[in-house]
Amino acid sequence: MRIAKTPALLALSLATLMGTASAGEADIVDGKVTALGENRYRIDATVLHADEGWDHYADRWDVLAADGRVLGSRELAHPHENEQPFTRSLTLTLPEGISVIRLQAHDSVHGLGGKTLELTIPSS
């Protein structure tokens, strides 16, 4: 890569390299599972992401089984630029035999990635 020779070109080069990906990946920083009975659970996920508006924001989080199967997803309908981290919930009926789940966030630029969180399923 060539180094820009003027301050304006250097600034433009850095901005181009950073693009809209400066917010990084979305992380799950906390979570909770509450038994509701009959294999139904309320799952709360706390997501942290430096949302930058509609071009780059955390747009979903998933509940995954230990084998990687997606058990459910919570779509996030808008950026949360002024609410970080933020917590949203999802109610799911989980299949018999699921004892552990993993929460993973998704953002509109990087897709799935960032920190995940593993949670133990309480008795229903």
Side-chain angles (χ1 to χ4, degrees):
M1 170 165 58
R2 292 185 63 199
I3 304 295
K5 295 182 181 184
T6 67
L9 285 176
L10 179 58
L12 181 60
S13 297
L14 288 174
T16 301
L17 285 174
M18 291 176 60
T20 59
S22 61
E25 297 176 325
D27 295 324
I28 300 289
V29 295
D30 199 10
K32 180 179 176 184
V33 180
T34 305
L36 302 175
E38 300 179 9
N39 289 335
R40 289 181 33 144
Y41 299 87
R42 175 188 163 121
I43 301 164
D44 297 303
T46 302
V47 178
L48 177 64
H49 185 260
D51 286 3
E52 298 177 339
W54 291 100
D55 290 334
H56 190 184
Y57 72 102
D59 58 2
R60 186 181 87 223
W61 57 268
D62 296 330
V63 178
L64 306 169
D67 63 7
R69 280 180 296 145
V70 176
L71 302 172
S73 296
R74 169 68 194 257
E75 299 292 329
L76 302 168
H78 59 86
H80 294 84
E81 295 146 305
N82 300 314
E83 181 189 358
Q84 291 292 326
F86 61 95
T87 302
R88 296 295 180 270
S89 64
L90 173 65
T91 300
L92 286 178
T93 300
L94 296 177
E96 289 285 336
I98 299 287
S99 60
V100 173
I101 59 170
R102 184 169 40 97
L103 305 181
Q104 184 171 27
H106 180 279
D107 77 71
S108 60
V109 170
H110 300 101
L112 290 171
K115 294 178 186 175
T116 63
L117 181 67
E118 193 170 277
L119 297 171
T120 301
I121 301 301
S123 301
S124 60

